Amino acid sequence: MSARNRLRSKLFNMYVSETARRRSRAWHDAKRKLSGGGHVVTAFLQLDDPYSYLLSQYLPALVEHYDIDLEVRLSEALGGGYQPAPELLADYAITDCARVAAELGLPFLDKGTSPPAEQQRGLLDAVATRVAEDPGELYRALECYWRGDGESVARLSDGAEPGAGEVLVTEAQNELDRLGHYNSGMLYYAGEWYWGVDRLPYLLARLDEQGLGKSESGHPRLASIRQVMHVDLPVVPPAAAKDLPPLDLFYSFRSPYSQLALRRVAELADAFGLQLMLRPVLPMMMRGMAVPRKKVRYILRDTAREAERLGVPFGNAVDPLGDGVERCHAVFDYALTEKRARDFLLNASEQIWAGGTDAATDEGMRRITARTGLFWPEVKQALEREDWRDAEAENRQLMLSLGSWGVPTMCLGDYVVWGQDRIWLLARHIEELCDTGEGILV
């Protein structure tokens, strides 16, 4: 490993460590005590963001159960390089939130087939004039908009001050940027960020550690999130699963979220007896898509937090960008011919993200392939070939045709989910496909 990569690896490991997280929390807590301030949670909500709507449904319960000051900002995601495929994201977000809302028992587009986008500007301006006095105005606006309730949106839009929404959104975006983030549907508390309902449980745990709960028993509405997203895999594959199509997993060797997903998706496929089709693609930065540093920093710390919860190895990493990624693709193609592609992917992912292994070096690749049982002289020959590029391009085009632009993406038939956060939703879908009405899957 080069001295440069060794230094970068050391800095990375320090940045995502539990020690760094504890020190940051202690510093922010000391700062709060010195200023005599309260525990302030800031919510950045975007009117036309369905994830903001789902999150808003839980904010009243958050204030009800915890001794906090909740500040609500009418905001928007920063866009640009932070959202490399905005059209695809907008379409996917509606589909994804409709599925999640159904599992959480929240209404979503139940009064119309789509949100009344033509009334969005008027609603935004109207909410902006009232949200400072009553955050509930924004909650109501989000609910009407994402239930497709055009009549209620029209009523809420009365008294709009033209341009008021744009002013408030710009102020919130400046604050969002200053605090170190870029997205909407976010909660900020004392140096840490929590995205949507998916990361809300982390904030709840932190507030509980601070002793801020108003009662010893948890709030049932808040506790229901983790309960809904929990999945118990079957001990024996259900008989109906034999008729299901293969499960495709689009993976990147440089994606930390792919590391979180890989073994869990493999276990899901095994539990239901599904054929797992592994489809590695090049990372965004090798496909001409920039990833801003602010986004990278959030992703890394978020991954570390998730890895700790899930028990996934993570933290002693060496960035494989460039040669490391290309060498992994070349060896993966060879491993396919040896029927060891899955083992290679599992070993490469764990060694890159948790084993301190530099895949760009022969020493590092030999460590990975030795664990996989691949013959090193043949690995060396595979590293000289370029035909893996055709397979990668095919995988990438297939992923884009499914309406996804990033990894990990999983596909079962025509059911597509993006992100390791949706493995539970994929499992639920498979359960439904296997439910013959003859009993409960165990």
Side-chain angles (χ1 to χ4, degrees):
M1 186 189 307
S2 67
R4 181 173 177 269
N5 276 354
R6 189 175 293 109
L7 176 60
R8 291 179 65 188
S9 177
K10 184 176 181 179
L11 292 174
F12 168 86
N13 299 333
M14 290 171 59
Y15 183 72
V16 302
S17 70
E18 184 182 356
T19 299
R21 185 163 66 245
R22 285 200 308 267
R23 287 175 178 172
S24 174
R25 289 184 176 185
W27 184 85
H28 280 89
D29 201 39
K31 182 180 175 183
R32 178 191 60 79
K33 290 176 180 177
L34 284 172
S35 67
H39 295 269
V40 179
V41 175
T42 307
F44 293 86
L45 305 179
Q46 179 172 335
L47 182 60
D48 59 345
D49 169 38
Y51 297 106
S52 292
Y53 160 61
L54 297 186
L55 176 61
S56 72
Q57 294 288 294
Y58 294 90
L59 296 184
L62 185 68
V63 175
E64 177 185 332
H65 184 66
Y66 291 100
D67 185 16
I68 61 171
D69 297 318
L70 179 64
E71 298 180 350
V72 179
R73 302 284 187 265
L74 178 60
S75 185
E76 288 182 7
L78 298 187
Y82 293 106
Q83 292 186 346
E87 296 84 7
L88 291 177
L89 174 59
D91 290 341
Y92 176 78
I94 293 177
T95 299
D96 185 45
C97 286
R99 293 169 176 169
V100 174
E103 296 291 335
L104 292 172
L106 301 175
F108 189 86
L109 292 179
D110 58 322
K111 295 191 175 184
T113 56
S114 62
E118 70 281 357
Q119 297 170 292
Q120 177 186 335
R121 180 54 58 187
L123 181 59
L124 191 69
D125 288 337
V127 170
T129 63
R130 302 191 289 260
V131 68
E133 291 76 21
D134 181 10
E137 287 286 337
L138 181 51
Y139 304 158
R140 286 187 286 275
L142 280 161
E143 182 167 11
C144 292
Y145 189 81
W146 285 107
R147 293 186 69 177
D149 187 354
E151 291 184 9
S152 295
V153 167
R155 285 196 300 272
L156 287 174
S157 299
D158 288 342
E161 180 183 332
E166 185 176 349
V167 171
L168 212 59
V169 165
T170 300
E171 291 175 353
Q173 285 182 316
N174 290 337
E175 183 179 5
L176 181 72
D177 185 49
R178 178 179 61 81
L179 291 173
H181 216 277
Y182 55 91
N183 205 4
S184 53
M186 301 299 305
L187 294 169
Y188 176 81
Y189 172 63
E192 289 184 34
W193 291 94
Y194 308 88
W195 174 66
V197 293
D198 293 271
R199 298 295 182 269
L200 181 55
Y202 283 120
L203 175 60
L204 306 183
R206 189 173 173 195
L207 297 177
D208 286 335
E209 289 175 6
Q210 295 272 53
L212 296 175
K214 295 179 181 178
S215 65
E216 292 185 4
S217 59
H219 195 289
R221 183 170 179 81
L222 298 174
S224 68
I225 297 172
R226 278 279 190 244
Q227 294 166 0
V228 167
M229 296 182 180
H230 176 76
V231 171
D232 288 315
L233 296 177
V235 177
V236 177
K242 69 180 185 299
D243 298 322
L244 296 182
L247 173 59
D248 291 297
L249 171 63
F250 297 86
Y251 168 96
S252 165
F253 290 98
R254 200 195 181 226
S255 163
Y257 287 136
S258 288
Q259 161 64 359
L260 292 181
L262 182 57
R263 191 170 295 276
R264 292 157 61 214
V265 173
E267 291 172 352
L268 175 65
D270 290 346
F272 285 94
L274 304 176
Q275 180 185 4
L276 180 61
M277 302 294 291
L278 299 168
R279 300 186 180 276
V281 297
L282 288 174
M284 285 184 176
M285 289 188 69
M286 295 176 69
R287 290 188 266 142
M289 304 167 77
V291 184
R293 287 187 178 183
K294 193 174 296 181
K295 186 173 183 177
V296 172
R297 287 196 295 267
Y298 169 72
I299 287 173
L300 292 178
R301 282 196 164 166
D302 183 55
T303 301
R305 187 170 54 185
E306 279 282 271
E308 185 178 320
R309 178 180 70 88
L310 296 166
V312 174
F314 184 80
N316 184 19
V318 180
D319 189 353
L321 183 66
D323 288 346
V325 168
E326 292 189 347
R327 288 161 62 88
C328 283
H329 275 272
V331 177
F332 175 82
D333 262 21
Y334 162 63
L336 274 173
T337 65
E338 298 296 306
K339 302 187 185 307
R340 293 191 179 276
R342 173 168 159 172
D343 289 340
F344 172 74
L345 207 58
L346 287 166
N347 286 319
S349 184
E350 186 165 318
Q351 285 300 302
I352 287 169
W353 290 107
T357 299
D358 187 353
T361 67
D362 281 355
E363 178 186 1
M365 186 58 72
R366 192 161 192 168
R367 182 184 306 166
I368 295 169
T369 54
R371 290 170 176 266
T372 309
L374 296 174
F375 188 44
W376 179 246
E378 293 182 0
V379 171
K380 288 282 286 182
Q381 293 177 12
L383 288 169
E384 299 298 321
R385 293 198 287 268
E386 294 286 323
D387 47 354
W388 63 265
R389 295 185 186 276
D390 293 333
E392 187 281 330
E394 183 179 333
N395 288 341
R396 183 160 23 109
Q397 285 304 120
L398 178 57
M399 182 178 72
L400 290 170
S401 73
L402 295 172
S404 184
W405 63 100
V407 294
T409 288
M410 293 141 282
C411 175
L412 184 78
D414 60 357
Y415 190 87
V416 180
V417 293
W418 169 53
Q420 65 90 24
D421 289 309
R422 294 295 175 261
I423 294 175
W424 69 270
L425 199 58
L426 175 62
R428 197 79 75 234
H429 175 68
I430 297 172
E431 287 176 348
E432 292 171 358
L433 293 177
C434 293
D435 185 2
T436 60
E438 298 174 356
I440 299 173
L441 293 175
V442 295

